[in-house]
Structure formats: structure tokens, C-alpha cells
Amino acid sequence: MNLEEETKFLIKKYNISANKNLGQNFLIDEQVVENIIEAAKISQEDVVIEIGPGLGTLTSKLLEKAKKVIAIELDNKMINILKDRFSLYKNFTLLNEDVLKINFDKLINEQNIEQNAIKIVANLPYYITTPIIMKLLEEKVPAQNITVMVQKEVADRLTAIPGEKETGAITYCVYYYCEPKKVMVVPNTSFIPAPKVNSEVISLNLRKKAPVQLKDEKRFFQIIKASFMQRRKTLINGLANSGIASKEKIKEILISMGLSENIRGENLSIEQFAEIANKL
Ligand code: SAM
């Protein structure tokens, strides 16, 4: 049976339909599965945390390759299928939880995982792609890499160079913590049901050293988020409206950096944002 036949078989056997509200688009392309595993560089030493295993397409391959797989799935129907399929695997742990509510510190402690052995793999539910990635990065989950399938358009934003085209606040966050890399574009026909848009696999390799030195990380991200919240406004107005600092103070800093007082946040490099944050 190929992956498409297997997926249709499971859908029929368990009499389920994909739940759009949970972003369920099941992967049916063998080559994409192979490429995800290869990009994540999974070895027998690795503990993989899989987010949203669904019917278990990626899970099945991950269980063959990794020392341990911890899968986090919200949908009870999927949980029943995953238990049926994989409960005999000794290296499989299944959590019926909302990934956004997981306490990763606690999970890693409870599961006795060595910090540098973690890799995160997922065909992400698209309705919460950004919150999931922000959570993993801001909570500093000690992973080596995060290899995920996301919407093509989101992949562009996650892998852009800060200050260039296609950026958002998350571009700076990803770039600060990771070296992002595009792996492959995936057409919508590689899923059942086919989503409206194309997708892309990306790999985020966690940096050992941050690309800029910050006095206060929290303040840095607060400034970036505030300037993108009102991205049509100038940086001065955006930051002043969010109560971060007075217009005069921000203007003074921009002038000291040789920047125009009309500049927008999206035109600033990560180094420039760092300098502003450090000066504030
Ligand atoms: N990994 C499977 C595959 O590649 O075929 C399914 C991927 S599907 C795009 C996303 C999966 O995430 C679904 O199984 C869905 O039920 C699950 N999911 C949605 N919201 C979730 C949440 N908040 N926490 C954990 N899993 C969630």
C-alpha cells in the first residue's frame, strides 16, 4: 500500500473525516516524508517531539529512526488510531494535549531527556503555526532543530532576512534564535484533503550564540512586536503609540544612528533593532 492508499484506508476504517477546525491535512507523499526525516537529521540518539501526529504518517517513520518519539495530539479520534497503530512500540509516548498548553520544561524533566538530544518535527496545524513556533522559541525548548511543514507564504516570512522583503515580527524572532533554511516546496496535492495553498518544509537550526548582543531580550521583542503591530506607521509613531517611549526619545536615538525619522520597523535590520532596544 502506498501512503495515499494507507491514508484512505485509515480514514475509512476508523470512519473519520478531516477536522478543518483542527487544521487536519494528512500528508500522502512518501518523498516529502523522506525529505522531512532527512532534513531533521534524525539518528538513534535523538528524542523527537512530534506536534500533531494525526494518523501517524510521519510518526511511523520517526519511530524507526529515533531513540524515542513523544507525540502531542489534541484530537481524541487521532489518539485512538495512534494507540492502535503504535502502542507496541517501546519508544513511543503519546500525549493527548493542546501543544500550546504544554509545559515543555516539565515534560523534558519528567521524560528524563538529555537537553541536546531533542529534535522537533511537525506537519503543523496551519491555524496556529505562529503561536507554536513562538512558544517553542520564547520558552527556549532545548532542541537542536525544528523541522516543520507550514504554508508557503508563512515559510517565506519565517526564513526571510530581517529588514528585507516578506518580514514580520516573527522573522526577527526566528532569526535571533535560529538559522532558518528552506527544505522543499510541497504542492497542495500532497495532502488529503488538499489545502487551498501550497506548503513548504523549513528547518530551523537553533543557534548556539545569538547574532546580536542584547541588554534585555524581553524589551527587544516588545519593541519589535510593537513596531509590527502598527506596521503602516513610522517606527516613531508605532513605538510611541504603544507606550514604549516618547516620540522625542525615539527620534533622538534614530538621529544618533543616522536613520530617517520616517523609517518603518520593517526596514530595520536586526542589528538596528538591537541598538534601539539597548539604547532605550
Ligand atoms: N502529522 C499528520 C500528517 O502529516 O499527516 C497530521 C498533520 S495535520 C496538518 C495537523 C495535526 O495537528 C492534526 O492531527 C490535528 O489534530 C493536530 N492539532 C491541531 N491543533 C492541535 C493542538 N493545539 N495541539 C496538538 N495537536 C493539534
Side-chain angles (χ1 to χ4, degrees), residues 22-27 50-55 57-58 72-75 78 97-100 123-125 127-128:
L22 288 178
Q24 289 178 353
N25 298 100
F26 304 114
L27 191 54
E50 189 192 1
I51 299 166
L55 298 169
T57 304
L58 279 165
I72 305 167
E73 172 60 59
L74 183 59
D75 187 355
M78 298 298 139
E97 308 251 11
D98 177 346
V99 66
L100 293 177
N123 171 13
L124 285 175
Y127 74 109
I128 44 171

Side-chain angles (χ1 to χ4, degrees), residues 1-272:
M1 250 196 296
N2 66 27
L3 219 41
E4 180 171 1
E5 289 160 352
E6 187 180 58
T7 304
K8 286 182 177 160
F9 169 79
L10 288 170
I11 289 175
K12 202 164 164 204
K13 177 174 172 197
Y14 289 93
N15 192 22
I16 54 155
S17 50
N19 184 339
K20 276 194 187 154
N21 293 333
L22 288 178
Q24 289 178 353
N25 298 100
F26 304 114
L27 191 54
I28 53 165
D29 189 326
E30 198 81 45
Q31 191 56 53
V32 178
V33 173
E34 292 298 333
N35 288 6
I36 291 175
I37 306 281
E38 200 186 308
K41 301 195 178 79
I42 310 288
S43 78
Q44 278 299 324
E45 277 88 64
D46 295 326
V47 175
V48 176
I49 299 180
E50 189 192 1
I51 299 166
L55 298 169
T57 304
L58 279 165
T59 324
S60 155
K61 272 275 157 13
L62 291 169
L63 284 166
E64 279 173 28
K65 299 267 178 188
K67 179 162 115 191
K68 186 177 170 100
V69 178
I70 300 171
I72 305 167
E73 172 60 59
L74 183 59
D75 187 355
N76 290 323
K77 288 186 185 154
M78 298 298 139
I79 293 286
N80 290 334
I81 301 171
L82 293 160
K83 277 187 185 158
D84 269 5
R85 289 188 74 183
F86 306 122
S87 58
L88 290 179
Y89 283 78
K90 291 205 173 62
N91 60 343
F92 184 52
T93 302
L94 182 59
L95 304 176
N96 187 189
E97 308 251 11
D98 177 346
V99 66
L100 293 177
K101 296 194 180 135
I102 290 274
N103 179 334
F104 280 100
D105 267 349
K106 199 165 152 238
L107 174 68
I108 288 162
N109 272 330
E110 280 171 358
Q111 298 283 329
N112 251 327
I113 307 172
E114 273 176 53
Q115 301 246 331
N116 58 3
I118 302 171
K119 289 180 176 163
I120 296 173
V121 173
N123 171 13
L124 285 175
Y126 293 169
Y127 74 109
I128 44 171
T129 300
T130 304
I132 293 175
I133 292 181
M134 289 300 266
K135 179 177 167 72
L136 295 172
L137 298 179
E138 288 184 339
E139 291 183 15
K140 301 188 195 299
V141 176
Q144 276 181 35
N145 62 34
I146 302 173
T147 304
V148 284
M149 173 99 69
V150 299
Q151 282 179 33
K152 166 98 184 54
E153 187 189 304
V154 177
D156 290 339
R157 209 170 321 132
L158 295 175
T159 56
I161 305 282
E164 291 188 354
K165 272 200 310 196
E166 333 266 14
T167 58
I170 196 170
T171 311
Y172 292 79
C173 187
V174 167
Y175 191 87
Y176 178 73
Y177 290 113
C178 318
E179 285 177 58
K181 198 177 84 190
K182 290 185 170 189
V183 176
M184 73 180 297
V185 175
V186 181
N188 63 348
T189 48
S190 295
F191 304 88
I192 294 179
K196 289 204 176 74
V197 290
N198 287 339
S199 301
E200 188 153 11
V201 178
I202 60 168
S203 195
L204 310 175
N205 288 309
L206 277 286
R207 291 183 193 275
K208 298 211 165 54
K209 188 171 175 284
V212 286
Q213 296 308 307
L214 299 174
K215 286 187 190 156
D216 182 345
E217 219 174 75
K218 221 169 134 194
R219 184 93 173 133
F220 171 71
F221 288 118
Q222 207 180 32
I223 290 169
I224 291 175
K225 281 179 193 165
S227 69
F228 276 90
M229 208 107 75
Q230 310 184 29
R231 67 185 299 163
R232 292 228 196 88
K233 294 211 160 73
T234 60
L235 184 78
I236 292 188
N237 284 333
L239 295 188
N241 291 348
S242 318
I244 294 216
S246 68
K247 285 188 182 181
E248 292 68 35
K249 179 75 191 159
I250 304 161
K251 190 173 162 185
E252 185 191 308
I253 292 175
L254 291 181
I255 290 171
S256 76
M257 290 169 66
L259 293 172
S260 154
E261 58 188 85
N262 295 323
I263 198 159
R264 293 185 183 164
E266 63 192 11
N267 299 119
L268 291 180
S269 68
I270 195 162
E271 290 79 11
Q272 289 167 326

